[in-house]
Amino acid sequence: MRILLVFNHPYEGSYCNAILDAVTRGLLLGGHEVDLIHLDKDKFNPVLTSQDLKAFRDKQAIDPMVLNYKTKLKKADHVIFIFPIWWELMPAMMKGFVDKVIFPGVAYDYTNSNNTKMKPLLMKLKGITLITTMNTPRILYHLFLGNAIKKALLRGTFWKIGYKNLKWISFNMVKQTSNENREKWLRKIEKTINKRVNEK
């Protein structure tokens, strides 16, 4: 299978980077082909311009980087997003990726004249996985702070479009956790990621 990793974290020493390395190792050991979109190294511009909004209306992306990402998405059997949660949401580059790449004519199209129903366009795609880090306790994020990633990204974006086999893997209280436990998490995700991408 061809797995596309979409990554966003500006600091190379971050735990997200360690997760990226572990996931990549696990997938390669499982015999998968791995493609990477590294938004920070690509210097991806997350800002949606007036020209981009016109392109949204016309269903024709114009940003050259978005067109390159579209090619990668069309080849993918599974997409894995890896990013930190800051102030309960994804960083700007990841939000910009959603705004500019999960786009009509790229990831979905409308099925009726008043643009209220959608259908997915990435027909090879068998699943989507989010892997995130945060320092907030899981129960606090889910019950008190509104569980924004699940509502906005899993349900409000991918489920609404019509993509299936969606999963979110969250590593919580990363800074408060011992190095030993963080290493255990990395070993576990390296071993289990192949099971996840093979789920249907």
Side-chain angles (χ1 to χ4, degrees):
M1 293 175 66
R2 188 181 184 96
I3 314 301
L4 177 61
L5 307 180
V6 182
F7 180 82
N8 178 201
H9 200 299
Y11 175 49
E12 291 187 359
S14 69
Y15 193 65
C16 273
N17 268 276
I19 292 170
L20 174 64
D21 291 342
V23 167
T24 302
R25 281 195 306 271
L27 291 170
L28 292 175
L29 286 170
H32 298 289
E33 188 176 355
V34 177
D35 200 1
L36 173 64
I37 292 174
H38 194 306
L39 297 173
D40 304 273
K41 290 183 178 179
D42 287 351
K43 297 187 179 357
F44 175 67
N45 177 10
V47 177
L48 201 66
T49 66
S50 60
Q51 290 85 4
D52 290 317
L53 285 172
K54 182 181 183 303
F56 186 98
R57 186 192 65 189
D58 297 338
K59 304 180 186 178
Q60 293 287 338
I62 57 171
D63 185 323
M65 199 167 285
V66 171
L67 296 172
N68 178 44
Y69 293 166
K70 175 182 177 180
T71 300
K72 293 175 182 287
L73 280 166
K74 283 194 166 186
K75 295 177 181 177
D77 297 296
H78 196 107
V79 178
I80 300 174
F81 294 86
I82 303 173
F83 58 91
I85 292 178
W86 294 337
W87 292 111
E88 321 319 326
L89 294 169
M90 71 281 279
M93 277 189 173
M94 188 59 72
K95 179 60 169 66
F97 182 91
V98 174
D99 290 342
K100 295 178 77 170
V101 184
I102 310 304
F103 197 87
V106 176
Y108 71 94
D109 201 355
Y110 297 103
T111 61
N112 58 354
S113 59
N114 58 357
N115 294 344
T116 57
K117 294 183 180 180
M118 293 177 277
K119 67 175 181 181
L121 293 181
L122 302 172
M123 304 313 296
K124 275 194 71 181
L125 201 58
K126 300 178 178 68
I128 296 170
T129 301
L130 312 181
I131 303 178
T132 63
T133 62
M134 70 174 94
N135 294 312
T136 304
R138 185 182 306 271
I139 192 166
L140 182 64
Y141 187 80
H142 284 239
L143 297 182
F144 183 71
L145 296 175
N147 207 1
I149 290 297
K150 184 173 184 179
K151 289 180 178 178
L153 199 51
L154 279 185
R155 289 182 181 171
T157 303
F158 297 117
W159 178 83
K160 184 167 69 176
I161 291 170
Y163 289 102
K164 303 186 185 304
N165 189 17
L166 310 175
K167 185 170 184 177
W168 175 23
I169 300 169
S170 178
F171 293 96
N172 293 66
M173 300 185 69
V174 173
K175 283 186 179 178
Q176 299 93 328
T177 301
S178 67
N179 288 333
E180 182 181 2
N181 278 337
R182 287 197 290 266
E183 287 297 323
K184 285 181 182 177
W185 291 349
L186 294 175
R187 290 194 296 270
K188 182 176 180 181
I189 195 70
E190 181 179 339
K191 289 179 180 177
T192 61
I193 193 62
N194 285 294
K195 180 180 178 183
R196 167 59 192 148
V197 299
N198 286 318
E199 289 175 354
K200 295 181 181 179

